């Protein structure tokens, strides 16, 4: 019983010494609201068993340019930075990968030029959606073994594409 009290009080001390939420408000906000909302709804249909997207949380960090796998345009301006990179490749050797469905909210990220979703275990990726990201230069969807989908002619719309990897 005494031991239990000991651990409970340590827990309380740790909780009290945590920084408050308002820390986040002092961080420069570069992320565009519409794109942050798109990322959050993209996350909703994913199954993230390995907590890969734990930084994708407006309570912890509202600037989505600082979220894991996300990069924004690198101008000096403190506002209006579009998301240009989304690198969420998984790893089977380290057993870290995402599952679930890649939602069409991704199509909101129209400035995206780099998209890597390789080595995950998604159930569904709609290639027609991805083909609407007309600024894509690099597209890697390789080794998503659960996705069986015909390759639609729409991918031909990606005129800026220089790398396309659909292996596996
Ligand atoms: C950004 O800032 C650096 C130095 O602070 C400057 O050299 C550079 O030209 C700026 N870039 C743009 C695009 O304004
Ligand atoms: C695509 O991703 C896989 C796995 O992350 C990587 O091994 C491969 O080199 C990438 N393909 C290209 C063309 O970059
Ligand atoms: C993309 O290509 C398809 C057929 O290849 C076409 O029907 C569609 O209108 C095109 N979409 C855009 C946005 O250009």
């Amino acid at each position: 019983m005494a031991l239990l009290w000991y651990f409970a009080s340590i827990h309380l001390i740790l909780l009290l010494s945590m920084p408050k939420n308002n820390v986040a408000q002092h961080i420069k906000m570069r992320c565009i609201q519409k794109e942050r909302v798109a990322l959050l709804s993209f996350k909703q249909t994913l199954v993230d068993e390995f907590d890969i997207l734990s930084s994708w949380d407006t309570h912890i960090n509202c600037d989505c340019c600082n979220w894991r796998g996300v990069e924004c345009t690198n101008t000096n301006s403190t506002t209006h930075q579009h998301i240009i990179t989304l690198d969420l490749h998984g790893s089977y050797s380290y057993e870290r990968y995402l599952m679930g469905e890649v939602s069409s909210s991704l199509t909101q990220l129209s400035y995206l030029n780099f998209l890597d979703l390789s080595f995950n275990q998604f159930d569904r990726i709609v290639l027609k959606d991805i083909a609407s990201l007309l600024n894509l230069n690099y597209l890697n969807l390789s080794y998503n073994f659960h996705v069986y989908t015909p390759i639609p002619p729409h991918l031909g719309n990606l005129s800026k594409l220089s790398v396309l990897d659909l292996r596996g």
Side-chain angles (χ1 to χ4, degrees), residues 65-88:
C65 295
N66 286 327
W67 290 356
R68 186 185 176 140
V70 177
E71 272 175 41
C72 295
T73 41
N74 197 19
T75 62
N76 289 347
S77 117
T78 50
T79 53
H80 302 306
Q81 296 222 14
H82 288 285
I83 296 168
I84 52 169
T85 293
L86 191 56
D87 183 357
L88 296 177

Side-chain angles (χ1 to χ4, degrees), residues 85-96:
T85 293
L86 191 56
D87 183 357
L88 296 177
H89 72 271
S91 162
Y92 290 152
S93 40
Y94 295 104
E95 296 231 347
R96 287 175 65 81

Side-chain angles (χ1 to χ4, degrees), residues 89-90 116 118-119 138 140-143 163-165 167:
H89 72 271
D116 188 348
S118 63
F119 271 96
Y138 179 98
N140 194 342
L141 303 175
S142 63
Y143 304 104
V163 175
L164 174 63
D165 195 342
R167 278 179 290 173

